[in-house]
Amino acid sequence: MTRPKTKILVDGGDPQETRRAKELLGFVDGQTTNPSLIAKNPHIKELIASGHKLSSREEMDEYKNIVQTISPLVGEAGVSIEVFSDESTSAQVMLSQGQEMFSWIPNAYIKYPCTSEGLRAAQMSVKQGIRVNITLCFSQQQAAAVYAATKGTKQPAYVSPFVGRLDDLGQNGMDVVKNIKRMFSKGDGHVLVLAASIRSLEHLLYCFVLQTELATVPAKVLELWASKNLPMPDEQFQYKASGKTIPYQELDLEQPWESFDIQHELTRKGIEKFAADYRATLARPA
Ligand code: E4P
């Protein structure tokens, strides 16, 4: 098999899935997690089903155990760990969580939401040498802001455009990935595109065509890819988008991050859902 240039990450919260994906593919470059995926981890589900809800400290410890188990299974794309935040969480609070989470494993990337507070936390993080992955990105403007906020980082920063959630709204989510790649081709290369919310083999194969640096993929899509002997897109490959085209915008990456329009309804909804899934595991919701 020709290994894709795009690094393949497992999108999940269960180390058993990571082991299985590694068996099927022969490699796994990295892993992404988020509060919803952690709430679905079999051990956490068992605890909740047995009536044991967690304190926020216990939840952090469970999260730490999960990523410590996954960390040695994956390659150089690392394990992304997401801070717990809602619409009122300050950059400073996100940063303190990020600092703690970054110490859990040697290959951590800290996920911050693509909001003003999240970008402030990311800006402070990269200055301290904390690797970051900016999540819940739905637009080219948001990606431009990530670029500007993380400028000067010594290690690559990731930005995660969410494809499937844009598709769900009747848009062509892959256009955002394509547009960001095109915009970043004029940049200095310090931000890598990590295609997320991948729902199908077609999404994955198109990521290979667009040469996204990374793609995070649920186990069931990886299983499907493996069941077909890990095909790669050939010259005839055409991505069949069903949603509305998202046009490319000319943006100046040298502008300050605050000058970009980073508002997106799906970012707000995404934070709400992550916070709700996190709180559902807690005895006394934070
Ligand atoms: C990964 O970083 C994202 O959290 C994940 O891909 C989101 O996927 P979903 O839209 O299927 O929840």
Side-chain angles (χ1 to χ4, degrees), residues 22-161:
K22 202 170 170 180
E23 248 169 54
L24 287 173
L25 310 184
F27 69 95
V28 159
D29 294 307
Q31 175 101 16
T32 54
T33 64
N34 67 39
S36 306
L37 294 169
I38 293 301
K40 284 190 207 142
N41 168 278
H43 175 62
I44 300 222
K45 272 170 67 183
E46 251 173 50
L47 286 175
I48 307 297
S50 71
H52 180 86
K53 288 212 172 183
L54 308 169
S55 66
S56 39
R57 180 39 50 194
E58 281 175 320
E59 168 89 27
M60 280 293 252
D61 289 343
E62 291 294 342
Y63 200 173
K64 180 175 170 180
N65 276 336
I66 294 167
V67 298
Q68 285 185 335
T69 311
I70 293 171
S71 166
L73 302 173
V74 306
E76 61 185 56
V79 182
S80 289
I81 313 172
E82 186 156 343
V83 298
F84 299 114
S85 68
D86 61 20
E87 74 289 346
S88 64
T89 310
S90 69
Q92 198 53 53
V93 168
M94 289 190 212
L95 176 67
S96 317
Q97 291 183 55
Q99 286 166 328
E100 179 182 344
M101 290 165 159
F102 194 69
S103 73
W104 290 349
I105 50 173
N107 51 353
Y109 279 75
I110 302 305
K111 279 172 103 177
Y112 296 113
C114 199
T115 58
S116 300
E117 292 307 300
L119 288 174
R120 270 189 202 108
Q123 197 169 31
M124 293 188 275
S125 294
V126 297
K127 287 194 181 126
Q128 298 178 15
I130 294 174
R131 288 178 292 268
V132 299
N133 173 359
I134 308 307
T135 189
L136 291 166
C137 170
F138 295 95
S139 74
Q140 208 193 313
Q141 295 255 358
Q142 286 180 317
V146 171
Y147 181 97
T150 56
K151 206 143 196 261
T153 179
K154 295 212 172 56
Q155 314 199 50
Y158 296 166
V159 63
S160 295

